Amino acid sequence: STMERSASRQAKKKVVAVVGGGLVGALNACFFANRGFDVELYESREDIRRAKVVKGRSINLALSHRGRQALKHVGLEEKIVSQGIQMQARMIHSLNGKQSPIPYGKKGQYILSVDRANLNKELLTAAESYPNTKMNFDHKLQDWNAETGLMTFVRSDGSKEQAKADLIVGCDGAFSAIRKQFLRRSRFDYSQTYIPHGYMELTMPPINGEFAMKPNYLHIWPRNTFMMIALPNLDKTFTCTLFMPFEEFEKITTGDEVIEFFQKYFPDTIPLIGVNTLQRDYFRLPAQAMVSVKCNPYHIGDVCVLMGDAAHAVVPFYGQGMNAGFEDCIVFDEIMDQFNEDFSAVLPEYTRVRVPDDHAIADLAMYNYIEMRAHVNSKWFIFRKRVDNILHFLMPKTIIPLYTMVTFTRTRYHEAVKQWHWQNKVINRGLLLSAVGAVLGGSYLLIKHPPDLSKLIVSAEEMWDRLVALRTP
Ligand code: FAD
Ligand code: EGU
């Protein structure tokens, strides 16, 4: 029957245009090529495998279960995992320099730090290796027509090119050009929110050829409004990402002020990053903005569908943006099986199934941002994660920490949120019951063994005597 299926595919030979050759676009090209479609990938930038400098957001990313499962579907999991660095725990840095490790889970449960540029290159190479894919770099989508499916691209020499496809897959990131046509249509829900924080990346070089800090951790400096996170790279550097409100970034205008600021909030990192590197990196690029985008539906008819950041940009406070985008590809692929690759049925089903989950992770990431900003210092972070782990240890089947469901399972995001609300109810009931129990138990003991009240309560007369005694020396 595999033969029959591939034969019927041969007969169709439908063209799928993947717009955007970033992480999700390149992976998606592999998924569609695997199914035997003629895949045309269009990417606005030059081929990053040939570029000298790769510009773009964030140098490294946390890859977890959902992302890995997607890579596995196209046979890339092992290769990518072997090029990543395991992080078995967070390392919480307190203001006084104390470091406290908090494991992500049981031994052998870890997330990976992967290099974005390297991952993108590997995905492009994998996509290109299919005989039925064609890579079109330096093709910036300018506009497309939702009625005819005709796409217009501009090239760096100013020339224009047009192309058509049976299906257009918009994987062109948070500022998607494909999505623009959705915005012109009726009954399209759209919201975008810029958070007041920006981020800046600083490099922590190796010291004597070795990692400056323990490598197998996600290092975190939680300081309420200010936060820093560091992930290890294969070249033994760490990339530190500083999160801070734009107005705070703007207050720091001189090299001395940078050091002063770090002395106050991240003193242990100054000797590790080095004063010169710190000052150079801080002024190299302006702080970058973070945006959260939600929309619905993800498709137009049977011609176009959005995936990855183009459909749902999330703030990075759950380490799930790429993982969610990769999971989009699996979900779409599963629905393609269910509906026999009939786009007119697959696209609406994809929207129906995926929107609630993407919206749930967008909300969770935003919630975590607000929570961390409001009152997460190192003590609170350590306390909360320990409580989570203890409750999970006591009731492993009933209480599963939210980050565990999000990071180490493929539990649908919206189900994870539901389960979390339910668990919180159980925990609160438990606390309430304990409190009620303590009051009742205490009362019972008081009644059974009444204390000698005369010993506890001093008579008014006696009290007066004591007061008078106090006044007279
Ligand atoms: P992108 O990576 O943005 O790719 C879009 C591609 O489309 C680009 O190559 C672009 O050149 C191309 N393009 C754009 N416009 C056009 C056009 N008009 N025509 C043709 N091509 C076009 N996620 C995680 O899972 N874990 C993490 O630890 C993590 N950390 C993060 C930290 C930070 C600071 C930030 C900002 C994000 C983080 N993310 C993380 C999220 C992650 O970066 C994104 O979710 C992911 O890059 C989305 O991939 P994408 O392919 O959808 O979009
Ligand atoms: C932010 C920026 C710790 C990479 C959320 C945890 C992140 C990452 C956490 C960035 C945090 C925050 C989780 C992972 C991960 C934690 C997670 C955040 C990777 C709830 C490159 N977050 N991130 N939660 O639990 O589930 O360790 O830039 F500080 S990985 Cl904000 Cl698991």
Side-chain angles (χ1 to χ4, degrees):
S1 87
T2 310
M3 291 276 282
E4 267 166 48
R5 280 222 308 190
S6 64
S8 78
R9 274 178 212 158
Q10 284 294 313
K12 285 186 287 187
K13 239 191 175 175
K14 287 198 169 166
V15 178
V16 173
V18 174
V19 178
L23 301 177
V24 175
L27 178 65
N28 236 339
C30 297
F31 270 89
F32 285 104
N34 239 336
R35 290 190 160 274
F37 290 100
D38 270 343
V39 178
E40 295 277 347
L41 185 137
Y42 298 97
E43 163 59 44
S44 60
R45 293 172 301 178
E46 282 295 324
D47 187 345
I48 53 161
R49 292 167 298 174
R50 282 172 198 89
K52 284 179 219 84
V53 278
V54 182
K55 45 183 202 285
R57 293 167 306 151
S58 77
I59 294 145
N60 46 29
L61 302 151
L63 173 69
S64 50
H65 183 70
R66 295 172 201 265
R68 285 182 63 164
Q69 285 299 113
L71 292 168
K72 193 176 179 173
H73 268 247
V74 292
L76 285 170
E77 187 189 19
E78 254 177 72
K79 183 158 204 189
I80 300 304
V81 167
S82 73
Q83 297 167 5
I85 297 176
Q86 295 185 8
M87 300 184 287
Q88 280 110 351
R90 312 105 169 149
M91 186 66 88
I92 311 304
H93 294 244
S94 303
L95 199 51
N96 63 15
K98 189 171 178 260
Q99 300 188 24
S100 320
I102 305 173
Y104 275 116
K106 291 184 277 296
K107 240 190 153 72
Q109 259 187 336
Y110 55 85
I111 55 175
L112 287 156
S113 173
V114 296
D115 180 291
R116 176 195 291 271
N118 179 65
L119 175 58
N120 207 159
K121 288 174 186 175
E122 290 288 355
L123 290 169
L124 288 170
T125 301
E128 202 175 39
S129 74
Y130 292 89
N132 46 329
T133 54
K134 183 161 171 270
M135 316 296 273
N136 305 276
F137 294 103
D138 182 24
H139 277 69
K140 186 186 172 93
L141 182 113
Q142 188 182 44
D143 202 5
W144 68 286
N145 186 311
E147 272 69 54
T148 62
L150 190 70
M151 299 172 282
T152 308
F153 298 95
V154 264
R155 315 223 33 204
S156 51
D157 62 7
S159 66
K160 287 190 183 174
E161 246 177 58
Q162 293 199 310
K164 261 188 150 182
D166 297 296
L167 178 67
I168 298 170
V169 186
C171 303
D172 51 348
F175 307 99
S176 172
I178 293 286
R179 202 176 55 215
K180 286 205 181 97
Q181 284 303 321
F182 284 65
L183 284 160
R184 298 183 55 230
R185 300 172 72 85
S186 171
R187 299 190 59 207
F188 179 65
D189 289 333
Y190 180 81
S191 76
Q192 99 177 22
T193 310
Y194 279 93
I195 58 173
H197 276 58
Y199 73 94
M200 187 178 272
E201 291 180 310
L202 310 160
T203 310
M204 185 184 283
I207 294 177
N208 298 326
E210 264 312 311
F211 278 108
M213 303 182 296
K214 287 192 168 178
N216 298 109
Y217 295 87
L218 189 148
H219 291 263
I220 309 173
W221 293 258
R223 304 281 185 270
N224 297 356
T225 332
F226 311 123
M227 182 172 82
M228 196 154 72
I229 284 191
L231 272 70
N233 302 308
L234 279 180
D235 64 0
K236 303 206 168 170
T237 63
F238 275 95
T239 306
C240 306
T241 311
L242 171 64
F243 295 95
M244 171 159 99
F246 274 99
E247 54 179 61
E248 298 291 335
F249 274 115
E250 283 154 17
K251 282 185 195 158
I252 301 169
T253 56
T254 67
D256 287 347
E257 284 166 348
V258 175
I259 302 305
E260 218 174 286
F261 171 79
F262 270 74
Q263 200 57 257
K264 193 162 173 197
Y265 294 103
F266 312 105
D268 58 332
T269 64
I270 299 179
L272 302 180
I273 301 177
V275 170
N276 289 329
T277 319
L278 186 52
Q279 291 173 333
R280 188 199 59 203
D281 280 1
Y282 189 94
F283 295 109
R284 197 205 299 272
L285 285 170
Q288 306 289 302
M290 285 168 280
V291 70
S292 182
V293 172
K294 284 203 261 180
C295 69
N296 179 31
Y298 288 166
H299 72 286
I300 294 178
D302 59 355
V303 294
C304 184
V305 63
L306 301 173
M307 292 195 213
D309 278 15
H312 49 81
V314 306
V315 292
F317 299 93
Y318 241 101
Q320 282 296 311
M322 164 191 64
N323 286 290
F326 279 10
E327 195 178 46
D328 288 348
C329 302
I330 313 180
V331 170
F332 191 87
D333 195 62
E334 285 167 353
I335 296 172
M336 286 283 272
D337 276 339
Q338 274 173 40
F339 292 86
N340 207 24
E341 301 183 351
D342 172 5
F343 297 150
S344 67
V346 170
L347 269 50
E349 178 67 2
Y350 175 73
T351 287
R352 190 186 72 78
V353 170
R354 198 55 182 164
V355 165
D357 291 322
D358 287 334
H359 286 199
I361 192 61
D363 292 343
L364 275 181
M366 187 61 86
Y367 173 86
N368 205 41
Y369 161 67
I370 292 166
E371 159 125 340
M372 302 251 338
R373 179 183 67 176
H375 53 238
V376 178
N377 53 30
S378 53
K379 268 200 183 132
W380 180 250
F381 191 98
I382 294 165
F383 173 72
R384 283 294 295 271
K385 297 292 170 191
R386 290 218 174 120
V387 168
D388 268 10
N389 287 347
I390 289 166
L391 286 171
H392 180 53
F393 179 79
L394 293 174
M395 296 173 276
K397 289 256 161 64
T398 318
I399 292 173
I400 300 160
L402 178 60
Y403 81 84
T404 304
M405 293 188 276
V406 167
T407 308
F408 295 114
T409 76
R410 275 203 60 213
T411 307
R412 293 184 59 181
Y413 288 125
H414 90 272
E415 297 283 1
V417 172
K418 260 199 218 160
Q419 170 87 6
W420 177 53
H421 286 311
W422 179 85
Q423 284 175 188
N424 286 341
K425 239 190 213 163
V426 172
I427 294 168
N428 286 338
R429 291 252 167 89
L431 287 174
L432 187 67
L433 240 91
S434 315
V436 169
V439 168
L440 290 180
S443 313
Y444 171 78
L445 285 175
L446 277 172
I447 292 162
K448 190 118 190 256
H449 311 281
D452 187 352
L453 287 182
S454 62
K455 272 189 196 150
L456 286 174
I457 301 164
V458 200
S459 72
E461 239 170 287
E462 204 175 328
M463 182 68 83
W464 180 250
D465 286 349
R466 284 187 197 179
L467 284 170
V468 170
L470 270 175
R471 282 173 60 100
T472 47

